Amino acid sequence: MTDRFVVALAQLNPTVGDIAGNAQMVRDARAQAAQAGADLLLLPELFLSGYQPEDLVLKPFFLDKLEEATAALAAETAGGGPDVLLTTPWRGEAPGKLAYNAVLLLSGGRIVTERYKYDLPNYGVFDEKRVFQSGSLPGPMNIRGVRIGVPICEDIWTPDVIECLEESGAEILLVPNGSPYDDAKEDVRLQLVMERVTESGLPLAYLNQVGGQDELVYDGASFVVNADFSLAIQMPAYESCMSIATFERSDTGWKCLPGDQTAPPERLESIYRAMVLGLRDYVQKNGFPGVVLGMSGGIDSALSAAVAVDALGPDAVHCVMMPSPYTSQDSLDDAAAACALLGTRLDQVNIGPAMDAFQQMLTPLFGNTESGVTEENIQSRSRGVTLMAISNKLGAMVLTTGNKSEMSTGYATLYGDMCGGFSVLKDIYKTDVFALCEWRNKGLSSGNDTLLKGPRGPVMPQRIITKPPSAELKPDQQDADTLPPYDQLDDILHCLIEKEMSVPEIAQRGHAPELVQRVWRMLDLAEYKRRQAPPGVKITARSFGRERRYPITNSFRKIL
């Protein structure tokens, strides 16, 4: 029996499918843990495969490779050093069936024991019941004389698994997680852990993954809570790191000694860093040399460019101004000023000749019909073709710049400003776009912030933030000509999307029922556009895509 147990909490950033690369990260982390005198290395959920692996785990060949890598890692524990709690998809004793979401104890050159995730989430961004089978209620593992409970992520969202572990004699709870970020998740996690600690009377280490995976961002921010509810360790958000949790036994049980303490960022900074990390990992893990985006002189493209520079550095960001006869001199000047502040390349491609060519091509069909939305969309699509041509020729990924308010209402053009490979604003309402620009333009509080690669000071001229938004597709156009004021629009959209509230319920918040009905109609009619939109960073509690699956053919909107 020991009275001291040291756990290395490895908050790391794996890549889905890169089994060899992820295995090397395990080796490097184990070496670091050994230098720190750790008894055990804990890794985030499904680390060896990367999380979420989705249908990769249905491919037997993929599982074969995971088993080969696991066997090699297990063999390396024969020579002493920390044991490893390796998280991976695992067929276990049921070959031919769905794999388990598993944690394996590697010690003494072999796989000593296995535990399987019991509570498989099947909501929001999760679809685990389709690709994994559920394990039985787990008991604790005996690791160097200490009974360790290892519930996996969702297993702590309900009381059952923790209750079973506590009744089976668990002394410490170590929880590997793959918990995606949203802007309300931090408080939810801590409250949840406090509930499980209250019920069990056991200390709990919550280890979360960090990094971007398609639409999802894992923000890290791992922590350890003792049985007396003291916060022993708080790890940083949005960065890979390791903390050492030293547990000591007393007459009242195990307690983690005070360790690293990094205060979590405030809401706007957290959202911004989530966008940065999501874009950085999407670009780098998919092998793009950088991004190219349309720089209009407006607030959405300015914020997108700032995020891109902070994520990738100015040399990997190519901005293109594509003026038309309706582009104002203010927009030209503002785009140039923003790019100068960011240090990015700015080129100009006039789309006037493309507009003239389309007019000449289509006049025999259109005749003398009045100019309108069709011609406006041609401008947007001319810009989209231009950006995609630059991407095809030079290799950079097109970064889309539309926000959630526009995506919700269909205030965007298919194959025009919606084209591209990724969007950082897809889940950001317009009111938050303004707030984020104000926050970032104040400058970075830390001069040695190596995670953000852009300028320490302002990233755009203030006029971009203060001038009325406009698509500039016709003379004197403003967003307010088509959309309600953004403070009203975003509140209604939040009620419709995140809250699923009815028209009468939303009207009780002070909105005209006719306006709510109009916004609801726009939201539903734009579903076909969103099905064709690029992926983007999940920020809110309910993003478009797998979290919100509405039919395109849908007549329910006719009901008040």
Side-chain angles (χ1 to χ4, degrees), residues 183 267-268 271 275 299-300 303 401-409 423-437 485-500 519 523 530 537-544 548:
D183 64 357
R267 177 178 178 268
L268 289 176
I271 291 173
M275 293 192 294
I299 194 167
D300 293 323
L303 180 57
T401 60
N403 60 69
K404 189 170 187 176
S405 304
E406 295 172 349
M407 294 301 299
S408 299
T409 57
S423 172
V424 293
L425 302 186
K426 183 177 180 180
D427 202 27
I428 303 288
Y429 287 114
K430 189 77 169 192
T431 48
D432 277 335
V433 169
F434 284 105
L436 287 163
C437 288
Y486 280 114
D487 57 344
Q488 297 180 37
L489 175 63
D490 289 353
D491 185 63
I492 293 171
L493 288 172
H494 176 77
C495 292
L496 288 169
I497 298 167
E498 279 86 1
K499 300 297 185 182
E500 289 288 8
V519 173
L523 174 66
R530 292 189 290 272
V537 181
K538 169 181 164 57
I539 297 294
T540 67
R542 197 177 190 198
S543 58
F544 291 126
R548 188 180 187 276

Side-chain angles (χ1 to χ4, degrees), residues 506-548:
I506 300 172
Q508 289 177 3
R509 295 169 63 91
H511 301 293
E514 297 79 11
L515 176 60
V516 178
Q517 184 74 41
R518 176 188 164 209
V519 173
W520 182 21
R521 177 177 171 80
M522 288 192 292
L523 174 66
D524 280 2
L525 286 175
E527 184 64 32
Y528 78 100
K529 290 187 177 182
R530 292 189 290 272
R531 296 282 184 95
Q532 301 178 65
V537 181
K538 169 181 164 57
I539 297 294
T540 67
R542 197 177 190 198
S543 58
F544 291 126
R546 69 178 82 185
E547 280 192 294
R548 188 180 187 276

Side-chain angles (χ1 to χ4, degrees), residues 128-185:
E128 291 195 20
K129 289 184 179 178
R130 191 172 63 83
V131 296
F132 290 110
Q133 61 174 312
S134 177
S136 303
L137 282 168
M141 300 179 180
N142 190 322
I143 304 177
R144 303 195 179 191
V146 184
R147 296 178 66 80
I148 304 294
V150 193
I152 302 174
C153 199
E154 192 74 13
D155 285 342
I156 70 168
W157 285 71
T158 55
D160 296 351
V161 173
I162 300 298
E163 180 181 355
C164 179
L165 287 166
E166 188 269 331
E167 291 177 349
S168 302
E171 299 173 278
I172 298 172
L173 300 172
L174 303 179
V175 188
N177 292 271
S179 179
Y181 168 81
D182 70 53
D183 64 357
K185 185 70 73 68

